[in-house]
Amino acid sequence: DKTTAKEMAIAQGVPVIAGSDDAFASVAEARKWIEDPANGCEYPVIVKAAMGGGGRGIRIVPTPEDLEQQFTQAANEALNAFGDGRMFVEKYVETPRHIEVQCLGDGTGEVIHLWDRDCSVQRRHQKIIETAPSLGVPEDTRNQMLNDACRLLAADNYRAAGTVEFLVDKNGKHYFMEVNPRVQVEHTITEEITGVDVVQSTMKLASGKTLKELGLTQDQIPDPMGYAMQCRVTTEN
């Protein structure tokens, strides 16, 4: 639930992009919110499905004249894919980096990170190339993202593998996007640079094991061992 995740991020002091707290069911609702100066969200904006993933239900809206078409297309896509056509509105961060942090939690408030991945190379909001760890990210920014990801999941006593996703702007400032509460396709490159089996660890955590029992406390996670890259082949019509 992206609404709950954003509320938790704000409560934990994790930076978020200016955007609506509620998802809108109509273009009129979205337009009214954007046009309210108190919300600090001028064009260009991006509309994003309240539920879902995989790059579906997302559209960039450059100007007010584009809102109706882009909102309607995204809402219809989300409704067909996820059964929910409601849309969030956020300030669009131009030319961002898309960085995600792989985490493991054991349900007791203990959460560790397995470093980060860069998934900035995308087509139609679908990830095409992933690199672990991220290249060229300021170390202060990286450390803040790693810390924020762990704090956010720990606050919810998160159990299993989870990925916390951020945008990083051209000035190196990071913003929380969402949490993917599952093992993602790109987990394999994290395994390559850490030696940690993400799938096996997730199954053991689900069975009730703690991170300490698995020998997976943060001080036992090595620095990244080189670099790994995943490239995807996509099909389109």
Side-chain angles (χ1 to χ4, degrees):
D1 185 330
K2 295 181 181 179
T3 302
T4 302
K6 183 177 179 180
E7 290 172 350
M8 288 185 60
I10 293 171
Q12 294 302 314
V14 178
V16 299
I17 300 170
S20 60
D21 294 329
D22 300 315
F24 303 117
S26 71
V27 176
E29 291 175 337
R31 190 183 302 279
K32 181 179 179 181
W33 185 88
I34 296 168
E35 291 177 350
D36 185 344
N39 294 319
C41 193
E42 300 176 347
Y43 293 92
V45 301
I46 187 167
V47 292
K48 303 169 62 176
M51 303 293 289
R56 289 172 289 183
I58 298 175
R59 293 293 188 281
I60 298 168
V61 184
T63 69
E65 291 73 27
D66 299 308
L67 180 61
E68 183 165 0
Q69 179 182 13
Q70 299 303 324
F71 185 103
T72 301
Q73 288 180 357
N76 288 340
E77 188 173 81
L79 182 62
N80 291 333
F82 313 116
D84 187 340
R86 294 174 303 139
M87 307 298 294
F88 286 109
V89 177
E90 291 181 354
K91 176 65 180 174
Y92 178 57
V93 180
E94 300 185 70
T95 62
R97 299 278 297 277
H98 187 163
I99 310 295
E100 58 190 24
V101 177
Q102 178 68 68
C103 295
L104 293 172
D106 63 12
T108 71
E110 292 296 320
V111 176
I112 63 168
H113 69 76
L114 301 177
W115 300 99
D116 52 296
R117 300 185 291 256
D118 188 327
C119 50
S120 302
V121 180
Q122 301 182 12
R123 174 171 167 77
R124 296 182 177 179
H125 306 293
Q126 294 272 11
K127 300 168 185 175
I128 301 296
I129 297 175
E130 294 244 11
T131 306
S134 307
L135 286 164
V137 174
E139 283 307 305
D140 284 348
T141 301
R142 188 195 311 275
N143 290 333
Q144 289 172 21
M145 287 189 290
L146 297 174
N147 181 58
D148 284 348
C150 291
R151 287 195 304 108
L152 179 60
L153 297 187
D156 194 44
N157 291 327
Y158 187 87
R159 184 193 297 273
T163 304
V164 183
E165 304 204 6
F166 298 93
L167 288 181
V168 179
D169 68 18
K170 60 185 178 181
N171 298 315
K173 183 174 176 59
H174 70 289
Y175 304 92
F176 169 76
M177 285 181 62
E178 62 186 16
V179 175
N180 283 304
R182 60 182 184 273
V183 176
Q184 292 185 280
V185 174
E186 56 269 28
H187 74 277
T188 54
I189 57 174
T190 292
E191 293 178 335
E192 290 293 328
I193 66 166
T194 62
V196 176
D197 189 321
V198 175
V199 175
Q200 182 184 79
S201 299
T202 299
M203 294 177 71
K204 289 182 177 180
L205 291 167
S207 75
K209 295 289 186 181
T210 66
L211 289 166
K212 186 175 182 179
E213 289 172 336
L214 297 179
L216 291 175
T217 54
Q218 193 66 64
D219 62 340
Q220 294 173 299
I221 304 304
D223 288 342
M225 298 179 287
Y227 293 88
M229 181 178 289
Q230 180 185 92
C231 304
R232 303 187 190 180
V233 176
T234 65
T235 58
E236 300 179 5
N237 57 26

